[in-house]
């Protein structure tokens, strides 16, 4: 039977300390090899928390599955800010464009519940609301209404899904 270890690790900077080391130690595999492979697979997500699954088989072989970072982390990166607003309805900390929201939606395509780009972008904008991030200079809720009304159809038509 395979053992599965799940953890949130910093992209490209996983280390043998907690949470990975203590979980992998009792399984008797080479922790350094696992950490090196995780860092190699997560280097594109440098500085973001990335969900990682380490599946260890009985013969001590292992497989690593890397998820995508939380939508909020991707929004922070695109907006170029360190953290969301402490008062989201009154203090705005950043702004993203519809194209940036579409980029995030494509990164989250496997995890997102939407079937088309328009709905996926609205889902990303929904994550912007509690963070105090605006979209195209409007509040995220206003931007979602504008998308419904077709104001950004031309921008979304140029984006691949």
């Amino acid at each position: 039977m395979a053992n599965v270890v799940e953890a949130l690790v910093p992209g490209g900077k996983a280390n043998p300390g907690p949470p990975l080391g203590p979980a992998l130690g009792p399984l008797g595999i080479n922790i350094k090899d696992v950490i090196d492979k995780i860092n190699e697979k997560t280097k594109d997500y440098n500085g973001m928390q990335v969900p990682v699954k380490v599946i260890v088989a009985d013969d001590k072989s292992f497989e690593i599955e890397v998820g995508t970072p939380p939508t909020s982390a991707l929004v922070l990166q695109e907006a170029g800010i360190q953290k969301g607003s402490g008062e989201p309805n009154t203090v705005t900390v950043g702004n993203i464009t519809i194209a940036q929201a579409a980029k995030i939606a494509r990164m989250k395509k496997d995890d997102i519940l939407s079937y088309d780009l328009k709905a996926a972008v609205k889902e990303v904008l929904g994550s912007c609301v509690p963070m105090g991030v605006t979209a195209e200079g409007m509040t995220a809720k206003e931007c979602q209404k504008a998308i419904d009304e077709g104001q950004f159809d031309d921008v979304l038509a140029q984006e691949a899904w």
Side-chain angles (χ1 to χ4, degrees):
M1 195 184 112
N3 290 302
V4 179
V5 176
E6 293 185 43
L8 261 180
V9 299
K13 295 182 182 146
N15 60 28
L20 287 172
L24 295 172
L27 302 178
I29 58 172
N30 186 333
I31 296 174
K32 184 184 182 313
D33 289 350
V34 176
I35 299 294
D36 289 346
K37 192 144 224 180
I38 288 172
N39 285 337
E40 181 187 314
K41 286 189 171 195
T42 62
K43 67 179 179 277
D44 294 341
Y45 299 118
N46 193 8
M48 287 190 265
Q49 293 293 314
V50 184
V52 173
K53 235 187 226 181
V54 181
I55 302 151
V56 182
D58 290 337
D59 64 357
K60 306 278 189 247
S61 64
F62 62 89
E63 186 181 318
I64 294 169
E65 291 179 8
V66 178
T68 50
T71 305
S72 57
L74 296 171
V75 169
L76 290 175
Q77 182 187 24
E78 282 298 317
I81 52 179
Q82 294 299 310
K83 62 183 198 138
S85 171
E87 302 167 37
N89 293 331
T90 53
V91 180
T92 302
V93 292
N95 184 51
I96 62 171
T97 64
I98 292 296
Q100 287 174 309
K103 177 181 171 189
I104 294 168
R106 278 196 306 277
M107 289 170 98
K108 296 290 291 180
K109 188 174 184 177
D110 296 337
D111 303 329
I112 219 160
L113 300 172
S114 307
Y115 292 119
D116 63 11
L117 183 61
K118 201 173 191 177
V121 167
K122 287 172 56 182
E123 210 171 308
V124 169
L125 293 176
S127 298
C128 293
V129 176
M131 295 169 60
V133 175
T134 58
E136 297 285 350
M138 311 178 232
T139 68
K141 288 179 182 175
E142 289 169 356
C143 196
Q144 286 175 327
K145 283 189 185 123
I147 289 172
D148 284 339
E149 292 163 6
Q151 285 184 30
F152 296 107
D153 285 355
D154 54 337
V155 178
L156 292 173
Q158 295 168 6
E159 297 287 338
W161 176 239

